[in-house]
């Protein structure tokens, strides 16, 4: 069982790399420690180390590094290890680890539509490759993947809330038979780096992809805010200290290009492909919130 999951993971990584290389992407090596990282207001505990007289965060996402990287290369991706000290009881959601890997990518001057299409094509390529190369493993796991035919349906955050109530993400995932795009999040529910739609103030040009069959969120992404005065305003509106984001603001003042991108969790993708119940099953050395480990 574990060997099948590791083989599938390996095929997923190889296929994603191959697809992105063909699409002209450059792979970055991951950033593990950084003076500034994703604020992620839903997850208040921070993993920090002190070294050389400075304070270093263990990376929660490479969002700011991606925005800086597209100054150098127009299309970049990274298999980025993230540390997020999620609440201990999230160990039981089936979807959360406190160390996981995102395939995080960013495209200079792209809009939301372009990265949504890219995500659909990437998923299709990866799933086809797994079906070709892992038929034995899928059979062993008793898994038959639902057919994927992009473009995936879309629903706005507000529509989903009206239709399914507060637990809309869960309900959407359980009733869906194909991945579904959840778009147009209200400004206050997301982090300050997602770009506000200039023609619809208060609504963001962002998206999540939701897996069918109850597997929940697959990826999050969107267009990014790159203008320093807007970033400053959004940081303040969220009650965050400007001081903590000084380095990001100076980068933005030097000039960050507009960009769009997304991050897709690898363990969640393999969990969906393999049809297993917990993301921890995908890792040989899982880091499950609330649990200790021998190795
Ligand atoms: P986020 O930027 O928070 O949306 O994270 C990007 C993607 O990483 C999500 O869509 C998930 O696929 C994955 N992810 C986020 N948090 C976790 C976690 N605690 N454990 C495993 N995967 C996660
Ligand atoms: Mg998300």
């Amino acid at each position: 069982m574990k060997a099948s999951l590791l083989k599938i993971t390996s095929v997923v990584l190889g296929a994603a790399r191959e697809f992105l290389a063909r699409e002209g992407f450059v792979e970055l090596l991951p950033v593990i420690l950084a003076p500034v990282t994703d604020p992620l207001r839903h997850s208040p505990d921070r993993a920090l180390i002190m070294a050389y007289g400075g304070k270093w965060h263990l990376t929660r996402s490479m969002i700011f590094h991606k925005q800086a990287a597209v100054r150098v290369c127009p299309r970049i991706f990274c298999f980025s290890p993230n540390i997020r000290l999620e609440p201990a009881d999230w160990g039981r959601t089936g979807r959360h680890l406190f160390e996981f890997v995102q395939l995080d990518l960013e495209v200079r001057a792209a809009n939301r539509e372009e990265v949504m299409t890219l995500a659909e094509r990437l998923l299709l390529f990866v799933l086809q490759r797994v079906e070709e190369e892992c038929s034995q493993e899928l059979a062993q796991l008793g898994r038959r993947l639902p057919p994927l035919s992009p473009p995936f349906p879309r629903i706005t955050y507000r529509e989903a809330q009206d239709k399914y109530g507060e637990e809309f993400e869960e309900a959407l995932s359980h009733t869906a038979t194909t991945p579904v795009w959840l778009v147009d999040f209200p400004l206050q529910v997301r982090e300050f780096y997602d770009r506000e739609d200039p023609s619809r103030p208060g609504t963001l040009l962002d998206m999540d992809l939701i897996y069918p069959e109850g597997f929940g969120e697959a990826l999050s992404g969107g267009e990014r805010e790159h203008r320093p005065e807007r970033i400053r305003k959004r940081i303040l509106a969220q009650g965050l200290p400007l001081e903590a984001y000084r380095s990001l603001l100076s980068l933005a003042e030097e000039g960050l290009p507009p960009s769009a991108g997304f991050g897709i969790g690898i363990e969640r993708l393999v969990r969906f492909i393999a049809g297993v119940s917990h993301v921890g099953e995908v890792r040989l050395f899982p880091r499950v919130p609330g649990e200790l480990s021998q190795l």
Side-chain angles (χ1 to χ4, degrees):
M1 183 89 156
K2 197 58 123 180
S4 299
L5 291 165
L6 296 182
K7 162 87 187 283
I8 294 171
T9 307
S10 176
V11 169
V12 164
L13 299 178
R17 263 197 182 106
E18 185 182 325
F19 175 85
L20 292 170
R22 280 192 207 167
E23 294 286 321
F25 280 77
V26 164
E27 181 170 357
L28 299 186
L29 294 174
V31 172
I32 309 275
L33 293 169
V36 57
T37 192
D38 199 323
L40 293 179
R41 286 166 305 145
H42 71 266
S43 186
D45 285 347
R46 271 150 178 69
L48 281 166
I49 68 164
M50 302 299 294
Y52 308 108
K55 203 164 71 173
W56 301 84
H57 294 266
L58 276 73
T59 302
R60 302 167 119 205
S61 90
M62 276 180 53
I63 179 63
F64 304 134
H65 301 89
K66 291 198 305 174
Q67 285 188 270
V70 291
R71 300 202 302 182
V72 184
C73 296
R75 296 157 86 78
I76 55 99
F77 76 98
C78 183
F79 288 108
S80 162
N82 290 181
I83 301 293
R84 297 186 185 177
L85 303 179
E86 314 281 25
D89 58 344
W90 288 18
R92 290 192 296 273
T93 63
R95 298 192 308 280
H96 293 95
L97 295 171
F98 64 93
E99 177 187 322
F100 64 95
V101 174
Q102 284 194 57
L103 167 52
D104 218 351
L105 65 81
E106 198 73 12
V107 182
R108 187 200 295 165
N111 61 30
R112 177 172 65 173
E113 290 305 317
E114 290 167 287
V115 291
M116 286 170 77
T117 308
L118 183 77
E120 290 176 340
R121 292 177 49 236
L122 169 68
L123 262 186
L124 210 67
F125 185 88
V126 168
L127 264 69
Q128 271 167 3
R129 184 56 64 79
V130 171
E131 282 186 317
E132 285 160 21
E133 291 191 13
C134 304
S135 55
Q136 268 186 354
E137 287 74 15
L138 291 172
Q140 234 165 38
L141 291 155
R143 177 64 167 154
R144 283 193 56 188
L145 277 163
L148 299 196
S149 51
F152 303 144
R154 294 180 187 197
I155 186 167
T156 68
Y157 183 96
R158 297 275 186 227
E159 285 164 354
Q161 233 179 2
D162 290 347
K163 189 162 174 194
Y164 300 107
E166 280 315 307
E167 299 298 315
F168 59 87
E169 191 188 302
E170 193 97 355
L172 192 58
S173 183
H174 275 102
T175 50
T177 52
T178 160
V180 185
W181 289 111
L182 186 59
V183 296
D184 296 351
F185 285 67
L187 186 134
Q188 60 279 8
V189 308
R190 297 284 259 210
E191 308 304 335
F192 65 77
Y193 47 76
D194 283 352
R195 179 162 174 254
E196 188 175 12
D197 187 342
S199 62
R200 293 176 303 162
T203 301
L204 298 172
L205 286 165
D206 64 352
M207 75 285 182
D208 274 6
L209 184 71
I210 308 296
Y211 288 124
E213 304 175 325
F215 287 99
E217 179 189 321
L219 67 79
S220 290
E223 293 181 25
R224 316 300 185 187
E225 185 51 75
H226 65 285
R227 296 160 300 175
E229 71 286 1
R230 294 292 309 166
I231 297 177
R232 190 174 294 110
K233 217 170 143 186
R234 297 273 301 277
I235 291 174
L236 290 172
Q238 295 200 336
L240 293 169
L242 274 184
E243 182 55 24
Y245 299 96
R246 210 182 27 183
S247 50
L248 171 70
L249 285 164
S250 13
L251 263 179
E253 266 146 24
E254 282 167 31
L256 282 174
S259 65
F262 60 81
I264 177 163
I266 295 296
E267 293 87 349
R268 288 195 191 178
L269 173 56
V270 176
R271 173 185 178 234
F272 166 64
I273 292 175
V276 293
S277 62
H278 198 288
V279 271
E281 293 176 58
V282 170
R283 295 286 300 247
L284 201 49
F285 308 107
R287 302 293 179 245
V288 179
E291 292 182 15
L292 297 176
S293 178
Q294 266 191 321
L295 206 61

